[in-house]
Amino acid sequence: MYLLSINDVALTLRSQNQLLYNQPAQALYTKERGLVFGDEASSASRLHPLDSNSSYLNTLSTEPLPRPLGDARNYADLVYQHLLGLVELTGELPVCLGVSASFNRDQLAILLGIAKEAKLQISAFIDSAVLATSAVPGPGA
């Protein structure tokens, strides 16, 4: 099983104790490369601010982007394109999604639909705060 933590800063994919993917939640469209994500997008976003977006995860919706980025017309399109890059890493194995408590039901439904369309096998959602505190050793049960 994999754990994919999604927040407005980054996407982090882990398998047990192994870090498989940790990239900023940044998208950039270039004519040469098309839509790119993560470090590559982050490093070039200052040079091309009108062709980049860093708010697609915390604004997850079907609302149109202020300015389309390639084929991406709304925030959900950007999330879908970013998740497509992770499918090769997870294959057919289940993925637990760690999400912020600020995600509302509509956003969770959109995220689940996007993941399904991207062929990610989602097994559960877990609050990121619960996930973070579960890694801290403490007394008792």
Side-chain angles (χ1 to χ4, degrees):
M1 178 180 310
Y2 294 96
L3 173 62
L4 176 58
S5 178
I6 294 178
N7 59 55
D8 59 341
V9 176
L11 280 84
T12 305
L13 180 66
R14 295 181 182 278
S15 174
Q16 303 220 344
N17 293 329
Q18 185 179 9
L19 179 63
L20 300 173
Y21 183 89
N22 186 26
Q23 294 285 319
Q26 180 80 41
L28 175 75
Y29 178 76
T30 67
K31 290 182 182 179
E32 302 80 35
R33 303 259 343 258
L35 204 51
V36 294
F37 295 93
D39 288 330
E40 184 179 354
S42 185
S43 65
S45 65
R46 284 188 186 178
L47 299 174
H48 307 283
L50 295 178
D51 297 321
S52 68
N53 188 295
S54 62
S55 64
Y56 57 95
L57 287 174
N58 62 339
T59 313
L60 178 59
S61 70
T62 56
E63 293 294 318
L65 291 167
R67 182 179 166 123
L69 297 179
D71 291 336
R73 299 288 184 243
N74 58 48
Y75 295 100
D77 289 343
L78 289 175
V79 174
Y80 172 74
Q81 292 296 325
H82 202 155
L83 290 181
L84 276 180
L86 300 178
V87 173
E88 293 177 15
L89 296 172
T90 62
E92 306 258 334
L93 294 176
V95 176
C96 177
L97 282 176
V99 295
S100 169
S102 66
F103 275 42
N104 62 41
R105 288 179 183 241
D106 290 339
Q107 289 175 309
L108 292 175
I110 291 169
L111 183 56
L112 188 59
I114 290 169
K116 183 177 180 181
E117 188 66 28
K119 305 289 190 258
L120 281 175
Q121 305 300 320
I122 305 303
S123 62
F125 285 108
I126 186 167
D127 185 304
S128 294
V130 172
L131 185 61
T133 56
S134 69
V136 177

